[in-house]
Amino acid sequence: MFPADIITLAEAVVAASRRSGLMVATAESCTGGLVAGAITAVPGSSEALERGFVTYSNAAKASMLGVAPDLIEVHGAVSEPVARAMAQGAAAMSGAEVAVAVTGVAGPGGGSVEKPVGLVHFAAAGPQGVIHQARHFGDIGRDAVRTASVRVALEMLLERLGA
């Protein structure tokens, strides 16, 4: 189901989670649960993944993760402040010590001049704080944007897990 390199990253996340004793949560918009899906493709992932939130709508981001609606209104769902709030909310709402958030424009439509197709914001929260990345993958196709986003999210989880 997932490319071999994503499974390798997911295996590393599970191993790092076990070593550190830190549980993981995901908050996903444009990836629709693929990050959690990659982690759960690994045997023994129940020792690493606390839960995943698929928060595709703005209402879901607010009700499930506690993202302030005015934050979304001011910055848009695809933004650094919202990605950070999603990661922090996933950790708080799940009790997990480490969380990753993904929000972006996978395409083919939905982009704008300010937020083009292929723009994705990531945030990861952990004991060391919150980190953010924005990537513009370009208009490479919906599946390619989503797959590339899973890779980045898993890499950020590894960083927050201290691996």
Side-chain angles (χ1 to χ4, degrees):
M1 172 181 272
F2 293 99
D5 67 310
I6 287 179
I7 294 300
T8 299
L9 283 168
E11 289 170 341
V13 167
V14 170
S17 172
R18 285 179 178 157
R19 273 193 311 277
S20 67
L22 302 174
M23 292 296 283
V24 170
T26 65
E28 304 182 62
S29 187
C30 67
T31 49
L34 291 174
V35 178
I39 295 169
T40 60
V42 177
S45 58
S46 61
E47 297 175 31
L49 183 68
E50 168 57 37
R51 70 187 72 174
F53 299 90
V54 176
T55 56
Y56 209 69
S57 71
N58 292 342
K61 289 172 184 65
S63 68
M64 294 173 70
L65 301 174
V67 177
D70 63 331
L71 191 69
I72 297 170
E73 187 176 322
V74 170
H75 299 283
V78 179
S79 65
E80 178 177 350
V82 170
R84 286 178 176 273
M86 288 172 65
Q88 291 168 319
M93 298 297 195
S94 69
E97 295 86 3
V98 177
V100 69
V102 184
T103 182
V105 184
S112 68
V113 172
E114 298 84 23
K115 296 179 183 184
V117 171
L119 175 64
V120 183
H121 284 269
F122 303 87
Q128 317 91 321
V130 181
I131 56 174
H132 167 264
Q133 283 188 41
R135 295 279 182 95
H136 185 227
F137 299 110
D139 194 355
I140 58 174
R142 185 175 186 81
D143 289 344
V145 169
R146 288 163 40 106
T147 300
S149 295
V150 172
R151 284 185 187 96
V152 172
L154 292 171
E155 290 166 355
M156 290 180 75
L157 279 174
L158 281 172
E159 184 176 340
R160 289 291 89 177
L161 288 166

